[in-house]
Amino acid sequence: MTQITEKKFTRKQALFDQLFQDTTTRLQKAVAEKDTASVLLSGGTTPGSFYDVLSHADLPWDKICLSVTDERWVPATNPASCEYLVRQTLMQNRAATARFFPLKSAPDALMDGYAITLDSLRQMPQPFDMVFLGMGLDGHVASLIPTAEDTARGLDPANKNICQYIRNPGGDYPRISMTVNSLLNVAQVTLLFFGVEKWAVYQDALHDTAFTWPVSHILHQDQTPVEIYWCP
């Protein structure tokens, strides 16, 4: 049974204040114990303002390794890139010295670059210390999208690769996503989402023992504790 802690707030600012405190405490502890820390960050619009604030945190950023939970296969200069978001928001100010491990490698074609990405990510300290996840109204996490043909591989517990190519996510660029095994290879998962509609999806997923929703794979496991941060 998953250890789930729900942290519900009435205002986004209160949520971000608590998340800032919890995140900095966990990363300070990780660096004190191991002399390093590693974090997987979600993309999208939800966390951007939080990353701006976190960039000012008094942390040993030069000992902290960052990557993203998923990525569109576009150059890092493209605003659609999650790496672009992280570099423009979090990797500023004090956090500018953090080390970043890209999911998008140099080749233009996803299948040409996939093996290069796998090799690169093996250099990132693991298990991770924190994984930040958002959640879509279709229950997707990272780029493990229910309608994408490669998502089943990414959700397969037998898939020991750190990431999975997602060739046809539907009306978008090809993507690459951390597998569910990688997302759970962490001291703690932080699941962050807003709105009553997404709360309803989360409630459905809590009872979804058939694993209809990709997020159900995060909520129904006995490996990794999960903290929920939500406000309407």
Side-chain angles (χ1 to χ4, degrees):
M1 184 68 178
T2 309
Q3 178 186 333
I4 299 176
T5 303
E6 294 178 351
K7 297 186 176 183
K8 296 183 281 187
F9 302 83
T10 57
R11 296 181 300 108
K12 285 185 181 180
Q13 187 58 55
L15 183 153
F16 286 142
D17 288 346
Q18 185 63 56
L19 184 58
F20 178 90
Q21 179 179 329
D22 295 345
T23 299
T24 54
T25 298
R26 182 170 291 277
L27 293 181
Q28 286 169 338
K29 182 174 183 290
V31 173
E33 292 176 351
K34 305 180 301 177
D35 202 39
T36 189
S38 57
V39 185
L40 297 182
L41 300 159
S42 64
T45 57
T46 300
S49 56
F50 171 67
Y51 294 162
D52 282 327
V53 175
L54 188 60
S55 73
H56 295 276
D58 186 11
L59 290 169
W61 286 106
D62 60 324
K63 297 182 178 181
I64 297 175
C65 299
L66 307 174
S67 189
V68 288
T69 60
D70 61 309
E71 183 62 277
R72 295 175 178 86
W73 201 261
V74 297
T77 53
N78 188 322
S81 162
C82 295
E83 179 178 345
Y84 179 90
L85 170 72
V86 171
R87 291 192 180 278
Q88 293 297 313
T89 56
L90 178 56
M91 295 185 69
Q92 302 288 328
N93 306 307
R94 286 177 166 171
T97 58
R99 183 180 178 188
F100 188 82
F101 289 76
L103 265 63
K104 167 66 169 71
S105 54
D108 291 334
L110 169 61
M111 299 309 292
D112 292 339
Y114 175 62
I116 298 172
T117 298
L118 285 175
D119 287 341
S120 173
L121 290 177
R122 291 188 184 104
Q123 308 306 312
M124 190 172 179
Q126 298 171 50
F128 306 111
D129 294 289
M130 297 190 75
V131 168
F132 289 88
L133 285 175
M135 182 189 69
L137 287 172
D138 60 357
H140 83 264
V141 290
S143 280
L144 299 173
I145 299 165
T147 55
E149 63 179 292
D150 297 310
T151 288
R153 291 185 181 184
L155 294 173
D156 186 350
N159 183 353
K160 302 304 180 183
N161 287 332
I162 190 169
C163 56
Q164 172 64 43
Y165 50 80
I166 307 291
R167 290 170 290 185
N168 296 300
D172 201 346
Y173 303 99
R175 301 187 185 200
I176 190 164
S177 177
M178 293 293 183
T179 62
V180 73
N181 277 335
S182 294
L183 296 175
L184 294 174
N185 184 27
V186 62
Q188 176 190 291
V189 169
T190 298
L191 183 58
L192 169 67
F193 56 93
F194 301 137
V196 293
E197 288 183 295
K198 288 191 177 182
W199 183 260
V201 172
Y202 164 68
Q203 289 296 313
D204 284 347
L206 282 178
H207 301 94
D208 176 30
T209 55
F211 296 95
T212 306
W213 311 89
V215 71
S216 301
H217 292 260
I218 303 298
L219 300 176
H220 296 274
Q221 44 83 26
D222 57 8
Q223 175 182 343
T224 305
V226 178
E227 284 198 344
I228 308 296
Y229 290 77
W230 174 83
C231 75

